[in-house]
Amino acid sequence: MERKILFDTETTGFDPDTGDRIIEIAALELIGDLPTGETFHVLINPERDIPAEATKVHGFTLADLEGKPKFSDVAKGFLDFIGDDPLVAHNAQFDFKFINAELKKAGFPEVGMERMIDTLEIARNTFPGMPNSLDALCRRYSVDLSERTTHNALLDCRLLAEVYIELLGGRQHGLGLAAETVTAQLVTYTGPASRTIRKVRPSEEEKALHKAFCDKIPGSLWESGKPPQA
């Protein structure tokens, strides 16, 4: 079964081109789109200040990261973990840009964009005109958000892993078997053979956004219930 790596970063800001740096990287190994339990997680000293606005998002101050390794110290470990496999992230352009800026700065080869799987793009295609942040998707799929008081790369990876399965159509692996087992690098994941189908119930805001989107499409299936006439 195919190996993928789902990952997330936390940063000092929005743009590495203006000096922003990565302060946290987390990654989960997926085999057959299911987590194996293998993870990569590091906190990083950004070698610069952390603006208060960024701290409000992820909760980290520079004092929290004193004594942590620099990106150049963890780059090889990260590259070894991700190997040559596809990389899954939410709003992946953002994370790829930061990862490649840091790799270039540290003298390592950049990660090819052809490896990118962006769950935000998948969500936009699945739910056009609706909010598709990680929080919104978790609520839509009834994924527990109670621990997400601030952005945390490892927790966000675990949440995204659940959302990613749902975006792909739900967990269908191992139907008809007593259990499903995925083995990789001496790590075994055992999960239930069946799943409860979750009914997606859009909020009133989501319904309004969807209607506004559909109104822009002449003769849309949603409005007429019939295919548009040629």
Side-chain angles (χ1 to χ4, degrees):
M1 284 184 280
E2 184 181 23
R3 181 180 188 261
K4 297 175 185 174
I5 299 298
L6 186 151
F7 80 105
D8 185 43
T9 63
E10 297 297 339
T11 67
T12 64
F14 297 107
D15 192 354
D17 292 338
T18 60
D20 284 315
R21 304 290 302 273
I22 290 176
I23 63 169
E24 184 183 21
I25 304 175
L28 304 180
E29 180 185 65
L30 306 177
I31 301 291
D33 296 321
L34 295 175
T36 65
E38 282 285 273
T39 64
F40 176 92
H41 181 223
V42 291
L43 294 176
I44 298 168
N45 187 328
E47 303 178 81
R48 55 151 291 167
D49 65 303
I50 301 177
E53 294 79 8
T55 297
K56 288 179 182 178
V57 174
H58 48 61
F60 290 109
T61 66
L62 189 57
D64 296 323
L65 302 174
E66 288 182 0
K68 301 300 182 184
K70 301 175 183 178
F71 183 89
S72 57
D73 299 323
V74 303
K76 185 178 185 304
F78 176 71
L79 290 173
D80 287 346
F81 184 80
I82 67 174
D84 297 321
D85 299 301
L87 300 172
V88 182
H90 199 68
N91 192 17
Q93 294 276 355
F94 177 90
D95 297 288
F96 267 69
K97 185 174 183 179
F98 266 95
I99 287 291
N100 281 334
E102 293 282 9
L103 288 170
K104 183 177 180 180
K105 189 186 297 287
F108 288 87
E110 297 181 18
V111 175
M113 301 297 285
E114 72 281 357
R115 298 171 61 180
M116 182 174 69
I117 299 174
D118 190 349
T119 52
L120 178 58
E121 288 302 314
I122 297 173
R124 284 172 173 167
N125 290 330
T126 305
F127 302 106
M130 293 186 179
N132 286 303
S133 66
L134 181 56
D135 279 359
L137 290 168
C138 285
R139 287 191 291 268
R140 196 168 297 146
Y141 287 124
S142 301
V143 175
D144 184 8
L145 278 169
S146 60
E147 294 184 58
R148 198 173 191 246
T149 55
T150 59
H151 286 228
N152 171 284
L154 187 56
L155 175 59
D156 285 0
C157 281
R158 288 171 174 154
L159 294 173
L160 184 58
E162 293 191 56
V163 166
Y164 182 52
I165 286 290
E166 298 296 342
L167 287 172
L168 295 180
R171 184 175 296 164
Q172 299 298 322
H173 306 269
L175 288 177
L177 302 178
E180 56 187 21
T181 302
V182 176
T183 304
Q185 298 181 356
L186 302 181
V187 174
T188 300
Y189 172 84
T190 302
S194 62
R195 57 185 295 276
T196 301
I197 296 175
R198 295 169 179 160
K199 294 183 179 180
V200 177
R201 300 185 184 279
S203 66
E204 292 304 315
E205 179 188 5
E206 290 173 332
K207 289 179 182 177
L209 287 169
H210 184 63
K211 183 178 185 306
F213 175 83
C214 293
D215 287 345
K216 297 177 183 178
I217 307 174
S220 72
L221 296 175
W222 297 276
E223 293 298 319
S224 67
K226 298 183 296 183
Q229 299 300 310

